[in-house]
Amino acid sequence: MRIVFMGTPEFAVPSLAQLLQAGYDIRAVVTAPDKPAGRGLRVSESAVKKFSLQHQLRVIQPLRLRDEQFLKELTSLQPDLQVVVAFRMLPEPVWSFPPLGTINLHASLLPDYRGAAPINWAIINGEKETGLTTFFIEKEIDTGRIIFQQRMSIGEEETAGELHDRMKIAGAGLVLKTVQAIERGEAPAVPQDPALAIHQAPKLTREMCRIEWTRSANTVFNHIRGLSPYPGAWTLLDGKIFKILRAQKQHVAHAHPPGLFLFQDHELRVAVPDGYILPLEVQLEGKKRLPVGEFLKGYIRQ
């Protein structure tokens, strides 16, 4: 079975690796164009491109997915199936032409948490369980017929980054299972139930990441871990962006106003209505990520 794989970040790499290891004919890999990154603005290649080059796979990096030359190149590969993991929204001419369709891996139990940031929002909302879904891509984003789903628990203190790393491995197994079922002609194709689309997972904006100290300790704690390590929950300290990347919560009665920073020895506490948030890892604007004790040594000296 001839496959074209589409993906960009590290999340997609294990899925591509599983398909390659299973012996599938990966005709090409479509990934994002190289772009300048870092302080030196050196050209940065996607994680999927780096993996593909290491394994002598053909790499295609279109600027525009509707470009006529790209569409000609894609159709000339004659894929039976396209597999999409963490890539851009595809226009219909791209997803509709393979005879076996185009499938996608999504990091939620669809139709719940449709959108760009399902891992983050599941944790931000305090969910105890999430999961993975493979489905056939159709016109409306994240609405296609479901093939397989796999439930996954969320740890009480688990961050988005930690859940991401577990899901990329589990997701690779689900992608392989899905491709094998399609190859045998035994893949389910169950329409999504609109009644189960309770939450949305929109792209995170800078303002969405700002901490609201008037909220409960549980809510702020979930907000912080749901945005760790990236893009990071933030507040202001001395007029600068101050990210809290890992924290603990403490439920205790007190008379401090919400948002008050309390410095004591090597500990920092921030008041919320029903207790405190104790930052463990922080990053001040323009500085490195540090354990809070190391940060306070420099901050208090200033």
Side-chain angles (χ1 to χ4, degrees):
M1 190 162 65
R2 298 183 299 272
I3 293 174
V4 167
F5 185 91
M6 299 184 180
T8 294
E10 179 60 35
F11 188 84
V13 171
S15 294
L16 176 56
Q18 280 266 23
L19 294 174
L20 201 60
Q21 187 175 356
Y24 284 103
D25 179 7
I26 307 298
R27 304 307 299 270
V29 173
V30 181
T31 191
D34 300 344
K35 59 182 180 180
R39 291 186 177 181
L41 293 179
R42 294 183 178 178
V43 174
S44 175
E45 299 175 334
S46 76
V48 165
K49 180 181 178 180
K50 290 176 182 175
F51 176 89
S52 300
L53 294 178
Q54 289 168 1
H55 292 82
Q56 293 80 50
L57 296 174
R58 179 176 178 178
V59 175
I60 305 173
Q61 297 176 274
L63 289 173
R64 292 177 297 277
L65 297 180
R66 293 183 182 271
D67 182 78
E68 188 175 338
Q69 186 58 41
F70 167 63
L71 293 174
K72 284 182 179 178
E73 187 174 11
L74 201 58
T75 53
S76 71
L77 297 169
Q78 298 183 310
D80 300 302
L81 176 73
Q82 292 182 136
V83 177
V84 180
V85 181
F87 194 59
R88 290 178 274 174
M89 183 177 176
L90 302 182
E92 189 167 349
V94 173
W95 61 258
S96 62
F97 80 91
L100 296 178
T102 298
I103 65 165
N104 185 214
L105 172 69
H106 188 76
S108 81
L109 296 172
L110 289 175
D112 211 15
Y113 288 104
R114 290 173 177 159
I119 297 175
N120 304 95
W121 284 108
I123 294 180
I124 290 170
N125 289 339
E127 301 285 3
K128 305 297 184 187
E129 184 182 65
T130 184
L132 297 153
T133 302
T134 52
F135 66 98
F136 288 103
I137 290 181
E138 296 175 7
K139 194 165 189 177
E140 300 299 324
I141 192 165
D142 295 339
T143 61
R145 294 160 297 149
I146 291 172
I147 308 168
F148 292 124
Q149 292 190 314
Q150 178 178 332
R151 294 184 175 275
M152 297 181 69
S153 62
I154 301 176
E156 289 186 6
E157 298 185 357
E158 191 168 25
T159 65
E162 291 164 346
L163 180 57
H164 167 281
D165 289 349
R166 287 201 297 125
M167 292 185 101
K168 72 180 182 182
I169 303 302
L174 196 65
V175 165
L176 179 60
K177 176 183 176 182
T178 300
V179 171
Q180 290 170 336
I182 291 171
E183 186 176 30
R184 295 192 305 267
E186 298 173 356
V190 181
Q192 295 187 28
D193 181 356
L196 299 178
I198 300 168
H199 307 92
Q200 294 297 313
K203 183 178 180 179
L204 294 164
T205 65
R206 183 173 178 272
E207 198 54 37
M208 286 175 181
C209 298
R210 185 167 189 164
I211 300 169
E212 295 185 28
W213 297 111
T214 54
R215 295 187 171 183
S216 69
N218 281 339
T219 300
V220 174
F221 176 70
N222 291 338
H223 185 79
I224 290 169
R225 66 191 184 98
L227 297 170
S228 174
Y230 180 84
W234 65 274
T235 187
L236 292 176
L237 179 62
D238 297 336
K240 294 183 178 180
I241 297 291
F242 182 65
K243 291 185 178 181
I244 301 176
L245 301 165
R246 192 178 289 271
Q248 292 177 334
K249 58 183 175 178
Q250 184 180 59
H251 294 280
V252 62
H254 63 77
H256 294 121
L260 179 68
F261 279 64
L262 300 163
F263 299 92
Q264 184 176 6
D265 297 326
H266 300 300
E267 182 182 87
L268 169 61
R269 293 182 295 162
V270 188
V272 290
D274 59 343
Y276 299 100
I277 294 296
L278 286 72
L280 300 178
E281 290 186 53
V282 299
Q283 184 176 20
L284 189 63
E285 186 176 349
K287 304 293 184 180
K288 295 188 302 182
R289 174 176 177 159
L290 292 171
V292 70
E294 292 300 308
F295 165 76
L296 289 174
K297 286 178 185 177
Y299 182 76
I300 291 171
R301 280 201 301 268
Q302 293 175 2

